[in-house]
């Protein structure tokens, strides 16, 4: 418990100033986190990061995380690059004599999209305003806290025991309820330019998808037979273990609150 708490404090000391500062430093930090997360998810499938498929995936990650406000050329570059990378990965299945399979190629492409989109929206959401990124982080944190407390106190009915045996329906609902504290408090200090009732609905949706993101990553680990995605954060696991909810919440937040 002491190791877990110490890791959380150190991580917060490093991450919070970067998050508040935003800009180029956050974009570079997002790329760093994304590379670590990509390495973790590829390792789950026994694909080494320093291999031909791993390096191809890294190139794809760089492309898919390009800032969306850089111009229309970004969309064209991303599409053409991903098409090219798809053919390269498929060609490598032949060159490797199927040691690297069609399913492995699909896994690499899906990993690029899963990790790249999630972390791209980490810095682009911050660029839209500090209130949005704080809103997302507080919703996830309050959801996790509420799910844990309600699950420990009154949790009796398993939510999805095959994927995550410790999660309960009561915890899931408790997470939704606690997440509503965020808009009710933040609306006093900041303006989201939407009615409070709509913000509450959006918060519930974000809270649900945050918990779904956690379940998705738990499903990955269960499928590949690993306890944690990595060991970079002692007591917490890997980068994917810490950002799994955000990778679902941040893109959805942009759809609901920002790109309207």
């Amino acid at each position: 418990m002491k190791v877990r708490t110490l890791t959380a404090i150190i991580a917060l000391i490093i991450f919070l100033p970067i998050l508040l500062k935003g800009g180029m430093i956050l974009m570079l930090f997002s790329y760093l986190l994304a590379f670590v997360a990509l390495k973790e998810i590829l390792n789950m499938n026994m694909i080494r990061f320093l291999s031909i498929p791993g390096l191809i995936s890294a190139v794809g990650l760089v492309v898919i995380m390009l800032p969306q406000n850089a111009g229309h050329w970004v969309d064209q570059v991303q599409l053409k690059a991903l098409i090219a990378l798809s053919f390269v990965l498929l060609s490598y299945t032949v060159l490797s004599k199927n040691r690297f399979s069609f399913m492995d190629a699909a896994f690499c492409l899906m990993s690029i999209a899963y990790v790249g989109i999630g972390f791209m929206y980490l810095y682009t959401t911050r660029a839209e305003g500090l209130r949005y990124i704080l809103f997302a982080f507080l919703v996830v944190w309050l959801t996790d806290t509420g799910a844990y407390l309600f699950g420990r106190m009154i949790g009796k009915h398993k939510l999805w025991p095959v994927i995550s045996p410790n999660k309960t329906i009561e915890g899931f609902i408790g997470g939704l309820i606690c997440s509503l504290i965020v808009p009710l408090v933040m609306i006093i200090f900041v303006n989201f330019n939407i009615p409070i009732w709509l913000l509450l609905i959006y918060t519930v949706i974000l809270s649900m998808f945050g918990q779904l993101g956690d379940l998705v990553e738990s499903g990955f680990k269960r499928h590949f037979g690993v306890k944690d995605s990595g060991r970079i954060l002692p007591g917490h696991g890997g980068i994917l273990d810490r950002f799994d909810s955000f990778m679902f919440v941040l893109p959805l937040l942009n759809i609901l609150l920002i790109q309207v």
Side-chain angles (χ1 to χ4, degrees), residues 1-11 228 230-239 242:
M1 189 65 179
K2 291 182 179 180
V3 173
R4 183 180 177 87
T5 303
L6 181 61
T7 300
I9 293 173
I10 295 174
D228 295 314
R231 301 178 182 176
I232 194 171
L233 300 172
H236 292 265
I239 296 299
R242 291 299 89 203

Side-chain angles (χ1 to χ4, degrees), residues 60-73:
L61 186 69
V62 171
V63 173
I64 205 168
M65 286 185 65
L66 289 173
Q68 298 299 295
N69 59 1
H72 293 297
W73 65 270

Side-chain angles (χ1 to χ4, degrees), residues 200-213:
L200 291 173
I201 293 175
Y202 286 169
T203 301
V204 171
I205 295 173
L206 292 172
S207 180
M208 290 175 60
F209 273 82
Q211 296 187 70
L212 178 60

Side-chain angles (χ1 to χ4, degrees), residues 53-222:
L55 295 176
I56 292 171
S57 299
V59 172
L61 186 69
V62 171
V63 173
I64 205 168
M65 286 185 65
L66 289 173
Q68 298 299 295
N69 59 1
H72 293 297
W73 65 270
V74 172
D75 293 335
Q76 298 177 0
V77 169
Q78 287 175 329
L79 178 60
K80 292 177 181 177
L82 289 176
I83 291 173
L85 290 173
S86 300
F87 283 115
V88 172
L89 286 170
L90 289 173
S91 299
Y92 187 68
T93 63
V94 177
L95 297 175
S96 69
K97 299 179 180 179
N98 276 332
R99 289 191 302 272
F100 178 81
S101 68
F102 178 86
M103 295 302 294
D104 292 327
F107 182 85
C108 287
L109 289 171
M110 196 65 206
S111 297
I112 294 169
Y114 171 58
V115 173
I117 292 172
F119 282 101
M120 182 269 290
Y121 275 112
L122 176 60
Y123 74 84
T124 56
T125 301
R126 172 62 184 90
E128 294 294 335
L130 185 59
R131 65 187 185 275
Y132 292 114
I133 197 71
L134 288 180
F135 181 78
F137 273 74
L138 289 172
V139 166
V140 171
W141 286 336
L142 265 292
T143 297
D144 288 346
T145 301
Y148 175 77
L149 293 176
F150 276 72
R152 287 292 298 270
M153 291 187 298
I154 60 174
K156 294 181 180 179
H157 303 87
K158 298 297 182 181
L159 177 64
W160 209 323
V162 176
I163 298 297
S164 187
N166 294 326
K167 296 187 185 301
T168 63
I169 295 175
E170 292 83 0
F172 177 81
I173 296 173
L176 298 181
I177 294 172
C178 287
S179 72
L180 294 174
I181 297 173
V182 180
L184 292 174
V185 173
M186 285 193 70
I187 201 70
I188 300 173
F189 305 100
V190 298
N191 182 15
F192 287 100
N193 299 314
I194 61 171
I196 181 61
W197 63 266
L198 186 57
L199 186 60
L200 291 173
I201 293 175
Y202 286 169
T203 301
V204 171
I205 295 173
L206 292 172
S207 180
M208 290 175 60
F209 273 82
Q211 296 187 70
L212 178 60
D214 188 23
L215 285 170
V216 166
E217 208 252 338
S218 294
F220 287 159
K221 293 187 292 186
R222 177 79 53 177

